[in-house]
Amino acid sequence: MLSMWQLSLLLVSLAAAGEVDPKHATKIKVYHVHAANVSNIPIDMDTGDAPGDLFFLLDEFLLPLQCADPTYFYDKFECLNPEHRSKGLVATELELEVDARFTNYSGCNFCTGTDPFTHKPCEAGTYVCDCMNFLNPKGCDRRLVGMETVVKEFVHDVTDQCKETLEDVCGHVRYSKWCPLCLARHQKLLNQSTCSAEATAYCPGIGFPLCASDSKNFDCWHMNIARKTQGLWFSTFREGYCDDTEKPCSWKVLASRTIQEDCIKTRLVETVEDEGSRCFEQCGTRNQSSPCWVGCFFTTVLGPEAHNSTRVTGMPLEKLTDAWTGSFQAQPHVSHTHMSHEFLSCRDDGQTSKCEIKPH
Ligand SMILES: *[C@@H]1O[C@H](CO)[C@@H](O)[C@H](O)[C@H]1NC(C)=O
Ligand SMILES: *[C@@H]1O[C@H](CO)[C@@H](O)[C@H](O)[C@H]1NC(C)=O
Ligand SMILES: *[C@@H]1O[C@H](CO)[C@@H](O)[C@H](O)[C@H]1NC(C)=O
Ligand SMILES: *[C@@H]1O[C@H](CO)[C@@H](O)[C@H](O)[C@H]1NC(C)=O
Ligand SMILES: CC(=O)N[C@H]1CO[C@H](CO)[C@@H](O)[C@@H]1O
């Protein structure tokens, strides 16, 4: 740890004794979905503001289509991500005080033995954080809070002229292993068609798939969810946590509320089904794995053109974030004012039906 502190390029003057420097302190409300038996204090975890975390929740509704498609090889890790697939997850709403001098964002994930990004071994049951600034991993100063916009991470685009050329010259091999070779061979033409480096994402497997008119519906929806929600993500590292030692720090928990994640999902599903009832009626009984249901879901949320273009309309974002944040509103806060740095852990008592606060 010492060596990282010494190596750090940023020399920031940090306030002493378990407090965020009042000159830079700001309050944020963030959310995190996690296993019921891990701490609701997001040490070495990622959180998002309401729209930022809504991105993840909405994106999950694509999984039945993505994971059923044999050509879907980019994000296969999400089909296995235990934070998405396991039952009995909880969601925590946190009021944080943070130092507003943010650093680059890190992807923090639950370790199942192998780091899902680096594929290096990690201690199962802990969280591992990887700096998302691949060009300069030192851009993540773990004494500070990492921040990223959902748009920067997920919304990539090229000009319409570039898309047309991509479809013309490489459309026929788009979902094959020859796609990158095709782009390389037509580099000059693509360059003349105003294609930027983002055009490489036309081939699935290289960055987040571009949304062109010949894209899979789920690839366009995936990127368009980010266009719809936007929002922010944060990473809060152990090194910056305000515990009861004298260590300088950059974040502390003021209050928290934890509820069953199922409750949020149900509220969200009901909100979207209400809004798009005419479409959903055609699908029969609710089946969140059926292409009909998933199609109605995203047509309602993102509008009818979002499956093959970057034109996003659909229901008001506020109705969606209200379904998310409203799930917490009946719950009392747990104040963290006098709390020690000990982990809070949520007992998994198997209750999943209501939006009940999990006892600590
Ligand atoms: C939490 O519970 C799961 C099983 O439900 C188990 O695999 C995991 O190791 C537990 N994690 C911790 C930190 O206890
Ligand atoms: C096309 O290539 C030239 C020379 O390599 C480069 O300067 C220019 O930025 C490229 N144009 C685009 C749109 O990438
Ligand atoms: C996009 O999909 C719509 C149907 O929703 C279709 O009418 C339209 O032709 C498609 N656009 C393109 C450019 O393929
Ligand atoms: C739900 O839809 C999926 C995909 O079409 C299908 O495989 C499954 O059998 C359906 N489940 C029910 C209960 O109808
Ligand atoms: C605060 C900080 O370290 N920001 C860095 C994040 O990464 C970019 C490059 O991707 C740097 O330019 C920033 O300085």
Side-chain angles (χ1 to χ4, degrees):
M1 218 53 73
L2 260 182
S3 65
M4 177 146 53
W5 283 52
Q6 286 158 350
L7 274 173
S8 172
L9 295 177
L10 284 172
L11 266 177
V12 184
S13 63
L14 296 159
E19 290 298 326
V20 176
D21 183 343
K23 287 203 294 288
H24 300 280
T26 186
K27 284 181 191 168
I28 57 175
K29 195 178 266 190
V30 296
Y31 299 85
H32 176 226
V33 171
H34 56 97
N37 60 358
V38 302
S39 169
N40 66 359
I41 298 187
I43 293 177
D44 284 342
M45 295 183 201
D46 293 329
T47 58
D49 65 2
D53 228 36
L54 180 66
F55 169 84
F56 279 111
L57 195 66
L58 291 174
D59 205 44
E60 258 182 70
F61 288 93
L62 289 175
L63 283 172
L65 303 190
Q66 291 169 330
C67 300
D69 187 321
T71 65
Y72 181 71
F73 51 93
Y74 174 65
D75 227 3
K76 217 56 175 184
F77 133 71
E78 290 297 340
C79 298
L80 307 168
N81 187 343
E83 295 222 332
H84 279 173
R85 304 303 276 175
S86 53
K87 303 257 179 241
L89 294 175
V90 296
T92 293
E93 180 188 76
L94 296 152
E95 275 176 49
L96 302 183
E97 183 175 66
V98 300
D99 187 315
R101 291 168 294 177
F102 295 108
T103 189
N104 280 174
Y105 177 80
S106 291
C108 301
N109 285 285
F110 189 71
C111 171
T112 54
T114 312
D115 183 326
F117 280 113
T118 62
H119 303 291
K120 287 184 189 150
C122 54
E123 191 188 331
T126 66
Y127 278 78
V128 283
C129 297
D130 298 305
C131 189
M132 289 288 112
N133 185 344
F134 296 111
L135 298 178
N136 178 16
K138 286 182 194 151
C140 294
D141 181 336
R142 296 171 64 105
R143 294 170 300 175
L144 300 173
V145 174
M147 187 179 78
E148 179 70 291
T149 67
V150 170
V151 165
K152 181 167 176 245
E153 197 75 26
F154 285 106
V155 176
H156 303 282
D157 213 354
V158 294
T159 61
D160 286 344
Q161 191 192 347
C162 173
K163 273 185 206 174
E164 275 169 35
T165 306
L166 284 167
E167 286 168 21
D168 281 351
V169 299
C170 297
H172 62 295
V173 291
R174 183 169 187 195
Y175 288 98
S176 84
K177 64 178 176 180
W178 303 110
C179 185
L181 192 64
C182 180
L183 294 195
R185 281 176 53 185
H186 295 95
Q187 199 171 18
K188 203 168 162 194
L189 176 62
L190 291 170
N191 180 298
Q192 286 161 4
S193 309
T194 69
C195 288
S196 62
E198 306 271 25
T200 53
Y202 183 69
C203 303
I206 307 175
F208 288 93
L210 273 190
C211 175
S213 67
D214 65 344
S215 291
K216 307 257 180 182
N217 289 351
F218 58 68
D219 282 339
C220 283
W221 283 328
H222 174 61
M223 199 178 280
N224 286 333
I225 293 168
R227 283 194 171 84
K228 176 91 184 184
T229 63
Q230 309 195 10
L232 300 171
W233 293 339
F234 301 93
S235 24
T236 39
F237 304 108
R238 180 178 301 280
E239 288 85 342
Y241 180 53
C242 296
D243 54 24
D244 53 8
T245 70
E246 305 259 309
K247 185 186 67 165
C249 65
S250 61
W251 66 279
K252 70 191 290 185
V253 179
L254 301 176
S256 73
R257 301 193 265 201
T258 298
I259 60 173
Q260 305 288 350
E261 196 226 12
D262 278 3
C263 159
I264 298 178
K265 269 198 200 134
T266 305
R267 280 182 67 121
L268 191 71
V269 163
E270 284 168 357
T271 303
V272 176
E273 282 180 343
D274 271 0
E275 185 81 17
S277 53
R278 261 187 299 173
C279 184
F280 285 103
E281 272 163 22
Q282 303 160 26
C283 303
T285 321
R286 181 191 295 169
N287 177 352
Q288 295 181 25
S289 301
S290 84
C292 180
W293 192 91
V294 177
C296 285
F297 186 86
F298 285 105
T299 300
T300 306
V301 170
L302 302 172
E305 295 178 286
H307 72 99
N308 63 358
S309 80
T310 55
R311 281 182 297 279
V312 177
T313 54
M315 64 189 288
L317 178 64
E318 230 170 59
K319 280 197 185 173
L320 297 164
T321 47
D322 284 355
W324 168 254
T325 58
S327 306
F328 291 90
Q329 252 143 43
Q331 307 306 324
H333 277 292
V334 177
S335 169
H336 288 241
T337 323
H338 302 294
M339 199 165 300
S340 77
H341 68 286
E342 302 239 332
F343 279 25
L344 277 181
S345 85
C346 296
R347 241 180 339 113
D348 189 358
D349 53 14
Q351 295 191 350
T352 55
S353 53
K354 292 232 177 72
C355 294
E356 284 166 355
I357 194 158
K358 299 284 292 184
H360 292 129

